[in-house]
Amino acid sequence: MKSVVLTGGVGGAKLVLGLIHALPAADVTAIVNSADDFRHFGLAISPDIDTLLYTLSGKANAAQGWGREGESWAFMEALRSLGGEDWFALGDGDLALHVLRTARLAAGESLSAITADFARKWGIGARILPMSDDIVATQLVTDEGRLDFQRYFVERRCQPVVRSVEFAGAATARPAPCVVEALLSPETDAILIAPSNPFLSVDPLLAIPAIREALRQASAPIVAVSPIPGGQAVKGPTAKLMRELGLEVNAAAIARHYQGIADALLLDDRDPPADIHMPYARTDTLMQTLDDRVRVARAALALAASVAP
Ligand code: GDP
């Protein structure tokens, strides 16, 4: 079964890791949010793509939830001693990725080509595609004014109250090469929407008109995995954001959000039976171990097969 996953960072990377153990890795394509990408000290940083690269190559720091395992911090210490801004932590190994990506972008390579090369160098068999090589930037309209994504997410630790979310540049952004082809390929058996933050990690992809249109045309069934098992976020601001946007924090609200895009929803065993107006299945979607990740991936693929035309 060939599958394509729309994903953000941590929650999505868990599902993609499960998929590459449930299927041959070469049959898995991840289309990754790049609207969290930003420039910091002149460096091009792609947090969600990097989370995928670290997770799928076995380098992720699972306990911390971001960055690399066994990281050293000499750069940050030197930076701090010089009075540099330290709200965004850059480990020494992580820094190498950003320095190289920045240099290669400056030399005219595309984000998608650089990402594919990094994945190959680290022995990742799955295909990792940024959603776009064009710049799309998530911005939050908050009670403290408009904030760039990383300022809101990392520096302000998601504390400002969010009124709305915007994706600057999305309306004119083109999907990266192979994105639309992967979604429309007759060989694609399932399109999964990972349990990533729907409003911050998945909506940027859906805001690119050609991606939304490809999802509408795709013949493969589209299955979303709920990112709020039992109405609670495993990590991050999903639940807080839903409340601030005036939504109920439950699987039914996730179903409504993906109505017209997803064909089916994978719910968590903890979710109460709800009025969900699309086909659904249930499993324990909390992915703590590798076995959990594989089980959730298989459940999502099985649900896709069951609703396939
Ligand atoms: P970010 O880019 O690092 O914010 O990561 P994502 O957007 O991919 O993930 C954040 C969302 O993933 C939150 O809504 C979490 O509740 C959800 N999430 C994280 N781990 C799991 C898990 O094991 N199971 C499920 N169902 N959702 C998860």
Side-chain angles (χ1 to χ4, degrees), residues 214-279:
L215 289 168
R216 209 183 57 74
Q217 284 180 17
S219 56
I222 303 177
V223 169
V225 181
S226 173
I228 46 163
Q232 294 192 345
V234 179
K235 164 194 163 288
T238 309
K240 174 176 180 284
L241 196 66
M242 289 179 80
R243 277 191 294 274
E244 291 169 359
L245 295 175
L247 302 169
E248 287 172 33
V249 187
N250 55 32
I254 300 291
R256 273 193 293 277
H257 186 71
Y258 287 134
Q259 191 86 48
I261 294 161
D263 299 306
L265 187 66
L266 184 61
L267 301 183
D268 190 88
D269 286 337
R270 294 164 192 78
D271 294 323
D275 50 343
I276 294 189
H277 302 290
M278 63 170 79

Side-chain angles (χ1 to χ4, degrees), residues 4-284:
V4 177
V5 200
L6 310 186
T7 179
V10 177
K14 290 184 190 173
L15 181 71
V16 180
L17 188 65
L19 278 169
I20 66 169
H21 284 84
L23 299 173
D27 291 348
V28 178
T29 296
I31 303 177
V32 188
N33 172 38
S34 56
D36 294 2
D37 293 18
F38 73 122
R39 291 262 170 179
H40 191 47
F41 298 124
L43 298 172
I45 301 179
S46 298
D48 286 355
I49 291 170
D50 295 347
T51 297
L52 266 285
L53 288 169
Y54 292 148
T55 302
L56 300 186
S57 66
K59 293 178 180 55
N61 185 325
Q64 191 172 258
W66 53 269
R68 293 177 64 140
E69 191 102 90
E71 186 63 287
S72 60
W73 298 96
F75 170 80
M76 285 308 282
E77 281 160 28
L79 187 80
R80 245 176 242 125
S81 75
L82 292 166
E85 274 190 46
D86 65 355
W87 60 271
F88 194 86
L90 289 164
D92 298 333
D94 193 36
L95 195 58
L97 189 69
H98 308 317
V99 167
L100 202 55
R101 174 165 43 220
T102 307
R104 291 176 65 166
L105 284 169
E109 281 186 79
S110 66
L111 180 63
S112 49
I114 299 166
T115 303
D117 187 50
F118 286 167
R120 201 163 34 241
K121 294 263 174 14
W122 282 351
I124 296 170
R127 190 157 60 145
I128 303 178
L129 305 175
M131 64 184 196
S132 179
D133 285 329
D134 298 332
I135 292 176
V136 180
T138 300
Q139 295 176 341
L140 297 110
V141 179
T142 75
D143 59 350
E144 298 179 14
R146 182 179 289 268
L147 292 172
D148 287 337
F149 179 78
Q150 297 298 341
R151 291 276 176 188
Y152 161 79
F153 194 73
V154 179
E155 189 179 35
R156 298 286 292 112
R157 295 172 197 281
C158 311
Q159 279 164 2
V161 175
V162 174
R163 309 266 182 240
S164 62
V165 186
E166 293 175 13
F167 308 109
T172 53
R174 291 153 304 171
C178 303
V179 165
V180 168
E181 291 82 344
L183 293 169
L184 295 183
S185 167
E187 294 194 352
T188 295
D189 301 298
I191 298 171
L192 307 182
I193 300 177
S196 289
N197 187 316
F199 312 94
L200 298 178
S201 297
V202 179
D203 276 0
L205 286 96
L206 304 180
I208 296 178
I211 294 185
R212 191 173 265 270
E213 180 57 23
L215 289 168
R216 209 183 57 74
Q217 284 180 17
S219 56
I222 303 177
V223 169
V225 181
S226 173
I228 46 163
Q232 294 192 345
V234 179
K235 164 194 163 288
T238 309
K240 174 176 180 284
L241 196 66
M242 289 179 80
R243 277 191 294 274
E244 291 169 359
L245 295 175
L247 302 169
E248 287 172 33
V249 187
N250 55 32
I254 300 291
R256 273 193 293 277
H257 186 71
Y258 287 134
Q259 191 86 48
I261 294 161
D263 299 306
L265 187 66
L266 184 61
L267 301 183
D268 190 88
D269 286 337
R270 294 164 192 78
D271 294 323
D275 50 343
I276 294 189
H277 302 290
M278 63 170 79
Y280 63 87
R282 284 165 184 279
T283 189
D284 177 356

